[in-house]
Amino acid sequence: MLIVAIAGSGASAHRRDEYLQAARLAIDPHRVEIALDLTPGIAVADEILSEIDLDGNRSISDREEQSYAHNLLRQLVVDVDGVPRGVALVDSVFPSVDLMLRGEGTIRLRVAASFPRLADGRHHLRYSNANRPDIGVYLANALVPTSDRVAVTAQRRDVDQRDLAVDYVLFTGSAARTVGDVALGIAGLGIWIALLRWCLVTARKTSQRC
C-alpha cells in the first residue's frame, strides 16, 4: 500500500528516551484496520518491558502479550462521523526481550474497528492515541484505500500527531461499475471512430464504398 500523505520531520529516527508509536490506517467501506508499530528507545525500553513482563522473569508470555495489547487498545479512540467505534485486536507480534532492551525491538499490533453500512457520500474518521504521552512520539497516516469504493480526500493532524482526522468519500459498487462502463464505452467509441476513419481513407484510395 501507498501512503496518502506523510507528515512530520525526523520520522525516520527517534531519541533514546522516546516511545515511537506509528499508526497506518486502511479504510474500507465497513471497516478500518490499523497497523500500530511501537518502538521504545533504549533509555525507556526497560520501563516499557516492566509494563509487559508482569512477573519480571525477563520473558514475555502469550498471556502478557495479550494483556499489554488489550490495555493499550483502551488508549485508542476511533470514531466515524462522530460515533465511537470499538477497536478489536486482530494480531500481535512482540520482539525478543534482548532486542527491546537494545532499543531495536518493535511491537506490532493489528487492530480493527467495524461499523454498519454507511450512506454514500462524505464521511469523517478520527483516530486518537493516548498511550504514554509522557514519553510517546507519534506518527499517523491513512493509506491509499484498496477498495475502489473509498477515496481519501484530506488528512489533518494535531502537532503531536496523536490525533488524525481523515475525510473520505464512499461510493456505491454500482456507481463504481457505472464509471467503469462509461470508460469502456468511451474507449469503444474511440476505437469505432478510428476504424471509421481508416475505412474512409481506404475507400478514397481504392474508390470502394466503406
Side-chain angles (χ1 to χ4, degrees):
M1 290 184 181
L2 298 176
I3 296 179
V4 174
I6 301 177
S9 60
S12 61
H14 64 292
R15 299 188 312 183
R16 295 159 59 94
D17 59 349
E18 294 175 337
Y19 191 13
L20 179 61
Q21 305 178 53
R24 301 181 305 279
L25 282 70
I27 302 174
D28 286 328
H30 309 304
R31 171 186 173 96
V32 57
E33 188 167 295
I34 304 166
L36 184 59
D37 292 349
L38 307 117
T39 308
I42 191 171
V44 297
D46 194 69
E47 180 180 352
I48 298 301
L49 179 61
S50 68
E51 296 180 0
I52 304 170
D53 180 22
L54 298 178
D55 58 13
N57 67 351
R58 286 320 205 203
S59 178
I60 303 174
S61 67
D62 291 343
R63 176 176 292 184
E64 288 171 333
E65 289 183 3
Q66 292 294 305
S67 176
Y68 183 79
H70 283 98
N71 286 335
L72 193 146
L73 260 58
R74 298 189 183 99
Q75 308 302 314
L76 305 182
V77 174
V78 174
D79 70 54
V80 178
D81 299 332
V83 179
R85 302 297 176 184
V87 178
L89 181 65
V90 177
D91 190 24
S92 63
V93 177
F94 282 67
S96 69
V97 170
D98 288 341
L99 278 177
M100 186 175 294
L101 292 176
R102 292 203 302 265
E104 301 172 359
T106 297
I107 301 166
R108 303 187 189 279
L109 304 181
R110 190 159 57 96
V111 304
S114 299
F115 33 88
R117 181 178 180 84
L118 301 174
D120 299 341
R122 299 183 180 278
H123 295 280
H124 176 82
L125 183 146
R126 174 176 170 263
Y127 162 82
S128 179
N129 182 356
N131 182 54
R132 293 305 304 263
D134 54 331
I135 57 174
V137 291
Y138 308 85
L139 296 172
N141 290 286
L143 301 171
V144 174
T146 57
S147 171
D148 59 4
R149 294 187 56 201
V150 181
V152 172
T153 57
Q155 298 189 59
R156 296 178 299 279
R157 303 165 184 81
D158 66 352
V159 175
D160 297 328
Q161 293 200 52
R162 288 176 55 189
D163 292 275
L164 170 67
V166 183
D167 296 329
Y168 67 99
V169 179
L170 184 61
F171 302 96
T172 60
S174 58
R177 285 194 297 271
T178 299
V179 171
D181 291 344
V182 170
L184 287 174
I186 293 174
L189 180 60
I191 294 173
W192 184 84
I193 292 173
L195 288 173
L196 179 60
R197 286 178 178 174
W198 175 82
C199 182
L200 292 174
V201 170
T202 302
R204 284 198 297 268
K205 289 181 178 179
T206 61
S207 297
Q208 296 180 353
R209 297 180 63 183
C210 182

